[in-house]
Amino acid sequence: MTAVVRILLRRIALLVPLMLGIVLFVFLVMRFSDVDPASAFFQGANPTPQQLHQFRERNGLLDPLPLRYVHFVGALLHGDLGTSALTRAPVAEQVTTALPLTLQLTFLGLAFAVVLALAGGVTAAVYRDRFPDQAIRVVSLIGVAAPGFWLALLMIQYLAVDRGWFPTGGYINPADSVTGWLRTMALPAVALSLPVAAQLTRIVRTSVVEELDKDYVRTAIGGGLPPWVVVGRNVLRNALVNPLTVLGLRVGYLLGGAVVIETIFSLPGMGKLMIDAVQNGDPAVVQGVVLTTATGFVVVNLVIDILYLLVNPRLRAAGR
């Protein structure tokens, strides 16, 4: 068995207790919240105490907490996230409908952030302490300090309302119109990605500067290799480890920030689904959205671990 496979198997094995812990945490938070699933199911219907008791008995709400947790985990393993108290539809169906849009927004924002961070960070490192570096550092500081929702509101005002270049909200399926999809997703993705891009730019710059000061870079350039070849083939590959660490953590921010951004731009994704569920007192949907988002965060971090192995041979050697 190769070192890479062993490392991956260890990472995957650690996911099992992690996911069980996440499920337990969400289960306990929802069970000790003020929202009563029985009352939520009968909201607006003035149920009798006997009807409430029958509902709780039928759905196992009167069982001991450990037994309820076991049943809850068993249902999750079968893909059952519960039933919406508002629509009476399975939560899994609602999540399946909303999740693709949130994934589109998250990964489009992630792509923007990575491209901007690599371009800005490498440029700032190559021209360190000169005008391009100073300008990029000022812009990145502003980007780190500016919240995504504020940027979203500014973009709507100046780019959508005043100039009409983009729609103020709504969503067009890419199957209907790729151009329309890009126009509806551009502003939300940029607003979501800019704070992450600003932070990553600073980290990429620091990592690239550290690599540029190493002996092998001076030797390669002194041997006649063009600087852009050394940066592209060697420096950038070795400098990506630290930015990847931060990128894995910031994906959680992107998923969480999508809740606010989707609400501002009226996008029917996971964020809007959760906001509507909280406002309408639908605990099963809230629980389903939180679990799906947490699972996505864990999966993305596993992908980041795999990328570590691809860009850093020292990690592969350490696993032997």
Side-chain angles (χ1 to χ4, degrees):
M1 186 182 298
T2 65
V4 174
V5 173
R6 285 199 299 270
I7 294 174
L8 288 178
L9 289 177
R10 284 203 295 267
R11 297 285 196 276
I12 294 173
L14 290 174
L15 293 184
V16 176
L18 176 61
M19 287 304 305
L20 288 176
I22 291 173
V23 171
L24 177 61
F25 176 77
V26 174
F27 173 81
L28 292 176
V29 168
M30 296 304 299
R31 295 309 174 275
F32 289 107
S33 68
D34 295 331
V35 180
D36 178 20
S39 300
F41 185 83
F42 289 105
Q43 55 182 313
N46 296 320
T48 64
Q50 183 179 6
Q51 287 177 312
L52 292 173
H53 180 80
Q54 290 175 345
F55 177 86
R56 295 186 181 106
E57 187 175 30
R58 185 169 60 251
N59 290 275
L61 299 178
L62 301 179
D63 294 337
L65 202 60
L67 181 60
R68 291 168 61 187
Y69 175 68
V70 171
H71 291 162
F72 179 63
V73 174
L76 289 179
L77 292 176
H78 289 87
D80 182 6
L81 294 174
T83 302
S84 168
L86 185 65
T87 64
R88 305 295 194 267
V91 175
E93 291 183 3
Q94 295 179 266
V95 169
T96 302
T97 301
L99 183 59
L101 189 146
T102 299
L103 292 178
Q104 292 170 28
L105 177 60
T106 300
F107 286 104
L108 195 58
L110 185 64
F112 284 164
V114 170
V115 171
L116 291 174
L118 287 177
V122 173
T123 301
V126 172
Y127 293 95
R128 70 175 111 173
D129 299 328
R130 285 179 276 177
F131 175 75
D133 180 26
Q134 295 169 351
I136 290 172
R137 278 191 282 181
V138 170
V139 173
S140 64
L141 283 173
I142 296 173
V144 170
F149 71 88
W150 180 73
L151 293 172
L153 294 175
L154 286 181
M155 290 178 183
I156 290 175
Q157 180 62 46
Y158 292 107
L159 300 178
V161 176
D162 292 349
R163 290 169 176 79
W165 294 346
F166 299 93
T168 57
Y171 175 72
I172 296 177
N173 195 301
D176 298 328
S177 172
V178 175
T179 304
W181 174 76
L182 286 173
R183 293 186 73 244
T184 56
M185 296 295 287
L187 292 187
V190 171
L192 185 64
S193 67
L194 284 181
V196 176
Q199 184 180 18
L200 282 176
T201 297
R202 294 166 58 83
I203 296 171
V204 169
R205 177 197 178 276
T206 302
S207 298
V208 173
V209 165
E210 291 177 355
E211 287 296 319
L212 288 175
D213 288 337
K214 292 184 177 180
D215 292 337
Y216 78 90
V217 175
R218 289 191 291 268
T219 301
I221 294 177
L225 285 177
W228 64 269
V229 173
V230 178
V231 171
R233 290 184 179 177
N234 303 104
V235 172
L236 196 56
R237 181 185 180 91
N238 294 331
L240 281 179
V241 177
N242 289 336
L244 277 175
T245 305
V246 177
L247 182 62
L249 297 174
R250 299 314 288 172
V251 169
Y253 165 82
L254 291 173
L255 288 170
V259 174
V260 178
I261 298 299
E262 287 175 1
T263 303
I264 292 174
F265 287 95
S266 301
L267 297 174
M270 296 282 280
K272 189 175 185 302
L273 181 63
M274 172 176 275
I275 295 297
D276 290 344
V278 170
Q279 292 176 341
N280 296 321
D282 199 341
V285 174
V286 174
Q287 179 177 268
V289 172
V290 171
L291 284 174
T292 303
T293 304
T295 302
F297 180 73
V298 170
V299 171
V300 168
N301 276 272
L302 176 62
V303 173
I304 295 296
D305 284 343
I306 296 173
L307 292 177
Y308 286 161
L309 299 177
L310 296 177
V311 302
N312 193 346
R314 288 172 293 184
L315 289 177
R316 297 196 296 268
R320 294 174 181 172

